[in-house]
Amino acid sequence: MKKKAKKSSNPMWGGHYASGPAEAMQRINECIDTDKRLYLEDITASKAHASMLGDCKIISSKDAKAIINGLDVVRKEIENGNLQFTAELEDVHMNVEARLAQLIGDPAGRLHTARSRNDQVATDFRLWIRNAIDRLDEELKLLQTALIDQAETNADTIMPGFTHLQPAQPVTFGHHLLAYVEMLARDRSRFSDARARMNECPLGAAALAGTSFPINREKTSAALGFDRPMANSLDAVSDRDFAMEFLSAAGILSVHMSRLAEELVIWTSDGFRYVRLSESFTTGSSIMPQKRNPDAAELIRGKSGMVIGSLTNLLVTMKGLPLAYNKDLQETKRPAMEVADQLSLMISAMTGMIRDMKADKSRMNAATNGGFLTATDLADWLVINLNMPFRKAHHVTGGIVRIAETKGCRLDELTLDEMRKIEPKITKDAFKALNPAGAANSRKSYGGTSPSQVKKQVNNWRKSIAGESK
Amino acid sequence: MKKKAKKSSNPMWGGHYASGPAEAMQRINECIDTDKRLYLEDITASKAHASMLGDCKIISSKDAKAIINGLDVVRKEIENGNLQFTAELEDVHMNVEARLAQLIGDPAGRLHTARSRNDQVATDFRLWIRNAIDRLDEELKLLQTALIDQAETNADTIMPGFTHLQPAQPVTFGHHLLAYVEMLARDRSRFSDARARMNECPLGAAALAGTSFPINREKTSAALGFDRPMANSLDAVSDRDFAMEFLSAAGILSVHMSRLAEELVIWTSDGFRYVRLSESFTTGSSIMPQKRNPDAAELIRGKSGMVIGSLTNLLVTMKGLPLAYNKDLQETKRPAMEVADQLSLMISAMTGMIRDMKADKSRMNAATNGGFLTATDLADWLVINLNMPFRKAHHVTGGIVRIAETKGCRLDELTLDEMRKIEPKITKDAFKALNPAGAANSRKSYGGTSPSQVKKQVNNWRKSIAGESK
Amino acid sequence: MKKKAKKSSNPMWGGHYASGPAEAMQRINECIDTDKRLYLEDITASKAHASMLGDCKIISSKDAKAIINGLDVVRKEIENGNLQFTAELEDVHMNVEARLAQLIGDPAGRLHTARSRNDQVATDFRLWIRNAIDRLDEELKLLQTALIDQAETNADTIMPGFTHLQPAQPVTFGHHLLAYVEMLARDRSRFSDARARMNECPLGAAALAGTSFPINREKTSAALGFDRPMANSLDAVSDRDFAMEFLSAAGILSVHMSRLAEELVIWTSDGFRYVRLSESFTTGSSIMPQKRNPDAAELIRGKSGMVIGSLTNLLVTMKGLPLAYNKDLQETKRPAMEVADQLSLMISAMTGMIRDMKADKSRMNAATNGGFLTATDLADWLVINLNMPFRKAHHVTGGIVRIAETKGCRLDELTLDEMRKIEPKITKDAFKALNPAGAANSRKSYGGTSPSQVKKQVNNWRKSIAGESK
Amino acid sequence: MKKKAKKSSNPMWGGHYASGPAEAMQRINECIDTDKRLYLEDITASKAHASMLGDCKIISSKDAKAIINGLDVVRKEIENGNLQFTAELEDVHMNVEARLAQLIGDPAGRLHTARSRNDQVATDFRLWIRNAIDRLDEELKLLQTALIDQAETNADTIMPGFTHLQPAQPVTFGHHLLAYVEMLARDRSRFSDARARMNECPLGAAALAGTSFPINREKTSAALGFDRPMANSLDAVSDRDFAMEFLSAAGILSVHMSRLAEELVIWTSDGFRYVRLSESFTTGSSIMPQKRNPDAAELIRGKSGMVIGSLTNLLVTMKGLPLAYNKDLQETKRPAMEVADQLSLMISAMTGMIRDMKADKSRMNAATNGGFLTATDLADWLVINLNMPFRKAHHVTGGIVRIAETKGCRLDELTLDEMRKIEPKITKDAFKALNPAGAANSRKSYGGTSPSQVKKQVNNWRKSIAGESK
């Protein structure tokens, strides 16, 4: 019999010592708040297990049926709020089984045949993460769609492209947004790979060594949507790769989210004002009604710390643990679940912000007039038209930019004569290269920033996302 | 007016879009679950602020009194469970102030004079961490005391000292336990330094720039037990060093806790059985009644990952934030508070385990017979008595150990003649060096493992800890 | 022209100020030590680019040929140690190009047409990581093979299986080792997925916006073994997912390595002595010749911290960076390269240790006699033979174990009568379940610990690994 | 005798197996590149130890003198580049001792009396970190001085103060810069506390248990500038708190550095242009001569990831290690040393940037005209002059701002009549509150942004820093 913690109404360490420590143990051991979130996976897995036990004649089919029906009742009770989990029964598994025993009596005691809490929790947790991935994937698709919609709207919105947060070359805003669609596609693909890799069933590994009961692991595996049973029982109960990989993919995703969030903060800053967020995703101030603080973006950026910290948490907790089950593993559930929650919040808020935001095309456009953004285009013109080596063309362009800088004018405001002081062979044709919109249009190489490329990519993404829903 | 999130009963992204995003914003922005833990600090700080405003004639003393009394009522309502915080009022500050307005009307609107939520939350959070440090310090002292008690009991319990988890030299178990008392003393000293450094008052920094009201920052600072007001208002609202330093100290403490936990797991393992934990801090098995799984130790070890991960979280969240307040800062409260909670659990459970544990002296003692643990002592004897250079004494000892290894006997079971084959000048006196207990006793250098040194250190610690309570 | 740092022989901040800061800049900006490791990838990519420029008539085929031949000369010079990189030329790209210009003159200036350092470094770094993955995959296969060999040798070596580092049930050592083969297979599969995902070519993205030159990105992509060009030029130059994902997979691998290392440390400890490591992978002591410190295992365990820390490093560095290229990205190369190096060391050392280690079968076997390891088997016997519900069988077994504990004997040393005091229907047949080897043999469920299952899995792995080399 | 690794010219795992693993062991075990940086601390500590051995008559004073003189020769040889460390002698300690033996013969063999590599390396590493802290403290003081100089120059430079990167209230640039002086002061204070806490001497702890030689630990401790010997020998050899605390303080410092770096990147961006960096700390472009990329700032921001990652590294490596020495500890030196190096680079580059930067006062000033930055001041005027409750004053101000927003004018461009539509009691006097410079001037509360406060703080800092050098 599991030792029960003795209770004491005395303040923790004062008074009777004897009662204290046990309370400390009970509190540190308690995990029901986290654990109860596994109820559905636990019941689903137990039903699959009971059904297999019946099919394999390890328990009678009558008992199997009683268990399965009983578990359905427990599920309904939980979902209707009629069953309160208690910390005294420690975890979700014991809470469910205890209630089952009240409902159906003796047969409940047969459910745990050829099973252990070790393979049970490994199965439940894996199912939970798998579901979380499926949900996140849907949410990420919505975010991609919001970005693609804006990219289409802004396929020919010209803005400065930045390196070092300094204006470098004109790009289209649509092109910039599509970069995030690419990142999110990799994120989804990472989650998808993680899902495929984790989709193996631990059930049947029992405590750690497998079982001598004539179980059929293929059956439970298939019933729970797994691709196959795990091939090594010690691995099955001690492995938490699926959680570590989930958090690894989450960590990279959170970096992408924080990058986009940072850009929104910058784009909505007074110095830029490229973008206006909707009231729904900003907070104002009763005193400064014009204020639109990009709170949602800041929260997303801030929460990326939580995701990365949770990844660290999990890796540290797993580091150096001998096989097979160790109680440390209990501490792996919370960080994974909380990350799933936080990611959902981050993605939903980002989706809303992107959907609602309005690009200020004239501010963006105006910003392309500074910074000699088309200097590279002039150099390229020299290479193409005068067959100059690139390094020399670079040098010539530098001279011309210096004249414009001294005069305080744009490159296309120079006269042909002024340019010819540096390079006499330049012709009027060169001016075509100096217009920012023209420069963006000319970058038609695959994956380039020209509106035509952006529209092509938007179409590809539309098709690709539509294709998923088939 | 703060934009209110529109509610919708529809599933999040299905159906009417318009209702979705706002809900996403409301959910990501919500922090009341974390925030409500600041209620006491918030009310305390508001009372100090109101009192100062009254003293400085910024508000009337009648209004000040009404506010202070009203805040006391709010506090009681919260503590009696009669005031429910609502997420619609966003955070603890608005919840408290809104209730105050219901209770006392107009004067409530004067409380926020010469103040902003930015300096208010910085003050509240700082007070909370300061309290957490004070509580942890008490708990750590109890853990130290438990270790010192066991060290005294085991001042002359001989066991193998390990390097590389291989037996190296005989030590006393008391000495080993005192090593952790040293670590915890450094932990307490780190928390104490952090406390002193953070003990400056942000109140009066207002939104970020200070205020033109003739406030008296010394007064609020003193009333709240701070050493002085912070000297720069921009720093005051954007600084979270106190939380980062708290988590840094917590990270190192958690490493200490995980090391001791690891040792308990090893010491209670079947191969060692040096220590027996009480039933209160282990879990058993209904089927294997002899089983005592060191769950509490494993949970402590596992939770160290959470502490380290939370430190990472905080550093990542703060990285690269421009001044002054950014909403990202909202995400710094939860990791700090959760670490404070988890550390309390870890320390309490560890204290209970240490108090209750029983050293198996005979198992420990028996283990000192293997492994030629006194080889170094023989070498030292050669240095001292034959004036041999240490490196040569090492070499000679190696030869003698090899004989014992071949014979399969302990060093003190060799004959004098056998030893003399390697070094003819050895005398019978050398055998004194070969007994493990004797070897431990001989290490009387300051901080050494001899029982006499251990008792001295125990006395020092008793005095030092008693001195704290003066 | 790039501003050159002024040099000063004065101590850094003393004397003439003017010279200091520039030196500080030069030192912080310098990355040639890391960068020079990219020389091969840089030259390979430049050759592909030059060849494409020639094919597309962007440069003459004569120039293309001159460049390609020149680059081959540079490569040979580097590999023969005849070309020293200088920090003044900043990075590998400028060092190579500068040498090329010395060798072939003017055409060298055409190499950088339709290219930028931004897409160049992204390509080089990606190629480097891809190569590192290929090398690690080979090394991991060797480690798997070493484990499979030992698993075969120890397919029927019985040892205690542990939970909570407490003996739980008998397992086979071969089964235990195969758990790590599973983990490594997932590691390899993760690296393989990462490789596939990163195998897209950034070349042609130019600075950030693509180019107006009529380049053929398919051609360079194919020439460098990439599956396709990256679809978005902004993404191409700002993405470091490939490095983050590489380090994520490395983090999980390092957890696996640290777990096995921890087990080796425990297994070779005096309390266990299940395994003896070879002299080659341990260090001794001139004074204690019997000593075999498991240094390699400890170093592997310790280095897992470096891998996890480097993952944190990379995620932190990338967090919150706006698009496109930022100089922060320079700091992503070193952690990734160092992890690749350290992982190689860890895997090689682990492979050697595993190959050389000898299981002490008699120590392992003896350890299965304690701890009532077959209690579960007795309970299972009751379920199967007396049709007892599992929970009741558990309870009955508990009673029987308590008798054995009181008597201080093994379960199979009890008499039938003693067992029948608890459950009268028990028959002599039950004793079959009580032998540890028998218990291990009986766990024939798929993935279970029985020697027959272990041999099956060994065969599967042999075939699977042989199949890879086709 | 230490097992030597066998060498083989064959590629690692091909050909003769036997030679491979040992090479793997040698490579993973090697630490001389890191270790050699400890040479000075090693020799200094050895000299103190030898001197004490002589004083205590444990070795003859002649031998002591020979050792000390010999060590001085070794030191000179190293510093003149005449002594190459070899990986075969493993670490700095063995390299130094081996060379000493060549130089002085037999007495060299007496140096290691009453000492072990365990306490030796703990002492050396501690001395190294202590020196690093002293050096960093000087560097941080220089950075503080650079900030204070700029703060003085810009004591009355008005700029927008930001929350959420949105303009909130006018502040002075000097005030903003002083916020970082405060942060750096806390950093220095943290390093100073860490230094005091680590300043205890491990020497004399020997392998782990102390020694039976009549050593005088006070003597070596004092000779090496430590405050006292460590009180527990097991703690002395297994403790790496000093490194963890060093990296913790470094982590927080790096957050501060990254925040200032981020601000420099934003302030130099095209949208802001508040600040112009010198050519020495930016990189340009041969094609865009106006370009000044803030590379140094980006590198500092990027390197903060390395510092935080190294802290994680160390905590992970230490987590769960049993006492006393484990080889994992070897892996703690590199991250600590590399962080010390990188911090020096970061601080030097930041100091140079800050020294050289020029604030663009007119851009800053112009930016205070947008954003209704004085709305709060108007509300405060209403509170003070009309005795309005703050919350109501807020509301009234909101109404007035809305008018200005509709009109598209500044607050001080409204007519009195327009304001009186919202609040009839407003007088002309209110306009004083609406000027940004006036608003900044009015915030004279302690720590506030007014030029007078800034100058006071500058003076305080000047005195405080001058006081340190006494």
Side-chain angles (χ1 to χ4, degrees), chain A residues 3 13 17 21 25 279-281 295 298 301-303 305-306 309 313 317 327-328 331 345 355-356, chain B residues 3 13 17 21 25 27 279-281 295 298 301-303 305-306 309 313 317 327-328 331 345 355-356:
Chain A
K3 197 71 201 165
W13 293 109
Y17 158 68
M25 176 61 185
E279 295 186 344
S280 301
F281 287 97
D295 289 53
E298 295 171 283
R301 189 177 58 185
K303 281 175 192 294
M306 182 271 173
N313 175 350
T317 294
K327 194 63 175 260
D328 314 56
E331 299 298 313
L345 283 178
R355 273 178 179 156
D356 286 10
Chain B
K3 196 73 199 162
W13 294 110
Y17 157 68
M25 177 61 184
R27 285 188 301 123
E279 294 186 345
S280 301
F281 287 96
D295 288 53
E298 295 171 283
R301 190 177 57 185
K303 280 175 191 297
M306 182 269 174
N313 175 350
T317 294
K327 194 63 174 259
D328 315 55
E331 300 298 313
L345 282 179
R355 272 179 178 155
D356 287 9

Side-chain angles (χ1 to χ4, degrees), chain D residues 279-300:
Chain D
E279 294 186 345
S280 301
F281 287 96
T282 50
T283 59
S285 153
S286 57
I287 197 170
M288 291 178 275
Q290 88 294 350
K291 256 224 162 180
R292 293 204 179 176
N293 295 325
D295 289 51
E298 294 171 284
L299 288 165
I300 289 166

